[in-house]
Amino acid sequence: MENYLSQRLQNMEESQTIAMNEKTKDLQEQGLDIVNLTAGEPDFFTPDAIKAAAKAAVDNNFSFYTPVAGYMDLRKAIAGKLQRENNLTYTPEQIVVTNGAKHALANAITSLIDPNDEAIIPAPYWVSYSELVKLAGGSNVIVPTSIDSNFKMTTAQLEAAITPRTKLLILCSPSNPSGAVYSKAELQALAEVVAKHKRLFVLSDEIYEHINFVGKHESMAQFESIKDRVIIINGVSKAYAMTGYRIGYSATSLGLAKACTKLQGQFTSNASSIAQKASVAALTLDNTPTQEMTKAFLRRRNLVMEWLQQMPGLRCTVPDGAFYAFPDVSAFFGKSDGTTTLKNDMDVCLYLLEKALVASVPGSAFGAPSCIRLSYATSDENLLKAMKSMKAALAKLV
Ligand SMILES: Cc1ncc(COP(=O)(O)O)c(C=O)c1O
């Protein structure tokens, strides 16, 4: 049959993690005990008080369509959170509740990007950004960063990437995959550049806000000169261990919030009514469970870093947030264990999978082919096992 798929879809990249996941599954089916460090979600259960709110929502018949932008009590809870935790003032009308943070990103990108518009994305980046920009007909201007700049983009790099076609800058702090966290001063310097370019909007992905080991979260929206052109993206997935509930949100200018609502009204309508009620509980009840999870992630980060730093050839910055380590493994390219010679990041991941029984994600999936991503959202016991076998396997490469 003739190729019937749209050009738009054909231009879209398949997730590069699929090959790794399939190989992992094959080995697991053969009975091998693989430690999976590919997870992009907390390994904890949703806190009980949030689960109770979801159950109550079912019993209280919150089963009808909600407003497209979300129940008013949830939008008020989000506005309350932004004021309380971030000192940012938004009205509930400026908030749009979505089917996960990913959907909030899709709404904003589709509402802003026209064919030929450019989006600046510092690499390493979370892979959906560039694909969503392409889907909207725009082009990506990828700004590479490296371990030597702590995986952060400088103002000079931003200035150099801006053209008359630039419409969007996409930032993620704390970052998936690098764990880098921009300081207030670093964000302010970037904001000053953005302020000079009136057509430039900033998509600020703050989904890992609460998993921050270096102090208080700094939002790009705190700078008044650009606040109207910032779209905060956040949600309950990571902070409250609610990835399956699928609740995210955007906070931005009223005009852009209305545009996102118009788009969402045609594509999906509202996010799940039950999950919305659970999210009200997440955002208003005591957040001790979130703090406990963050403490566990910090302990695990320290455990993983202690081991990674002892592995000769591997270079790794200490991640300041999120739950990933992103070591540079390029020193192993060209090395061999006597049978296989590793050429690139994918080969390193496959080698670790087959010889150390550790599943990881190649950095090229995030635009950083010198690195691999290791998620530490798993038990201390699993991490210890993975680190020991990784160290032994890498030591065999010459
Ligand atoms: C950087 C980043 N942004 C957004 C998302 C999407 O979150 P959600 O599950 O709420 O759609 C993820 C999930 O992995 C992520 O890592």
Side-chain angles (χ1 to χ4, degrees):
M1 200 197 294
E2 219 176 279
N3 194 343
Y4 56 89
L5 296 172
S6 72
Q7 201 56 51
R8 203 178 292 116
L9 194 276
Q10 290 182 58
N11 291 345
M12 206 170 174
E13 294 280 333
E14 184 119 35
S15 164
Q16 289 187 47
T17 56
I18 287 178
M20 278 303 298
N21 286 336
E22 295 201 334
K23 185 88 187 158
T24 305
K25 261 192 252 146
D26 279 354
L27 294 180
Q28 280 170 331
E29 272 163 23
Q30 290 168 30
L32 292 174
D33 183 15
I34 309 284
V35 184
N36 192 345
L37 303 188
T38 66
E41 60 184 341
D43 55 318
F44 301 108
F45 293 128
T46 306
D48 286 343
I50 300 173
K51 291 199 276 199
K55 290 175 201 166
V58 173
D59 290 340
N60 292 322
N61 298 311
F62 284 101
S63 51
F64 301 95
Y65 290 129
T66 84
V68 170
Y71 282 128
M72 187 43 91
D73 60 349
L74 177 54
R75 282 184 284 154
K76 281 188 177 158
I78 294 166
K81 171 256 178 276
L82 289 165
Q83 190 71 64
R84 186 176 69 245
E85 295 184 353
N86 310 103
N87 196 26
L88 294 171
T89 305
Y90 287 94
T91 63
E93 291 72 24
Q94 291 176 277
I95 314 285
V96 181
V97 175
T98 56
N99 297 283
K102 188 181 274 193
H103 182 208
L105 287 161
N107 278 347
I109 290 171
T110 312
S111 298
L112 285 169
I113 294 286
D114 264 331
N116 299 320
D117 281 342
E118 291 175 350
I120 297 174
I121 309 180
Y125 53 83
W126 188 56
V127 70
S128 294
Y129 303 146
S130 51
E131 294 311 310
L132 288 168
V133 169
K134 271 165 45 185
L135 208 53
S139 33
N140 294 295
V141 175
I142 305 296
V143 175
T145 71
S146 77
I147 191 163
D148 301 308
S149 61
N150 232 336
F151 297 113
K152 293 182 201 175
M153 184 178 60
T154 63
T155 50
Q157 285 181 303
L158 175 59
E159 293 266 20
I162 293 173
T163 75
R165 289 162 58 191
T166 309
K167 188 72 182 284
L168 200 55
L169 163 65
I170 307 183
L171 282 181
C172 179
S173 176
S175 158
N176 173 9
S178 73
V181 175
Y182 283 84
S183 69
K184 181 173 178 178
E186 287 162 342
L187 289 180
Q188 182 155 16
L190 295 173
E192 281 163 16
V193 177
V194 172
K196 287 190 280 181
H197 298 272
K198 304 295 177 209
R199 191 177 179 263
L200 178 54
F201 287 73
V202 184
L203 202 49
S204 180
D205 186 342
E206 303 182 13
I207 190 82
Y208 290 96
E209 159 176 21
H210 289 93
I211 310 169
N212 177 338
F213 314 129
V214 289
K216 126 175 163 6
H217 176 69
E218 299 292 349
S219 172
M220 195 62 172
Q222 70 186 288
F223 308 108
E224 274 307 320
S225 60
I226 61 161
K227 187 181 173 207
D228 260 10
R229 290 187 276 130
V230 175
I231 309 103
I232 294 181
I233 304 292
N234 208 331
V236 296
S237 297
K238 316 283 176 176
Y240 304 97
M242 293 172 70
T243 45
Y245 282 70
R246 310 307 303 130
I247 295 293
Y249 61 85
S250 58
T252 185
S253 68
L254 189 56
L256 192 47
K258 281 187 178 159
C260 291
T261 308
K262 178 173 153 188
L263 185 69
Q264 183 165 312
Q266 296 295 7
F267 262 82
T268 60
S269 292
N270 61 275
S272 153
S273 54
I274 307 301
Q276 285 191 54
K277 288 293 174 191
S279 301
V280 173
L283 292 164
T284 51
L285 298 180
D286 167 46
N287 79 348
T288 309
T290 300
Q291 292 170 24
E292 293 299 323
M293 288 188 255
T294 302
K295 269 194 218 155
F297 287 131
L298 176 58
R299 188 184 64 240
R300 292 162 175 187
R301 182 210 59 182
N302 291 344
L303 185 160
V304 166
M305 285 312 298
E306 209 175 290
W307 279 84
L308 293 179
Q309 281 163 348
Q310 292 170 29
M311 298 184 199
L314 199 140
R315 292 171 70 211
C316 193
T317 51
V318 179
D320 286 334
F323 38 68
Y324 310 101
F326 201 58
D328 186 309
V329 293
S330 57
F332 297 100
F333 300 170
K335 294 202 170 175
S336 165
D337 66 343
T339 32
T340 328
T341 302
L342 309 183
K343 291 180 297 301
N344 52 34
D345 56 333
M346 180 56 108
D347 285 351
V348 173
C349 288
L350 288 173
Y351 175 77
L352 290 176
L353 184 58
E354 284 164 8
K355 302 291 159 65
L357 304 183
V358 172
S360 56
V361 184
S364 45
F366 312 99
S370 312
C371 299
I372 63 171
R373 192 189 76 174
L374 305 167
S375 162
Y376 48 85
T378 187
S379 69
D380 296 35
E381 189 192 357
N382 275 343
L383 291 171
L384 199 56
K385 189 164 148 197
M387 290 299 113
K388 280 184 185 162
S389 56
M390 233 181 104
K391 187 178 176 192
L394 291 177
K396 290 191 186 128
L397 293 168
V398 281

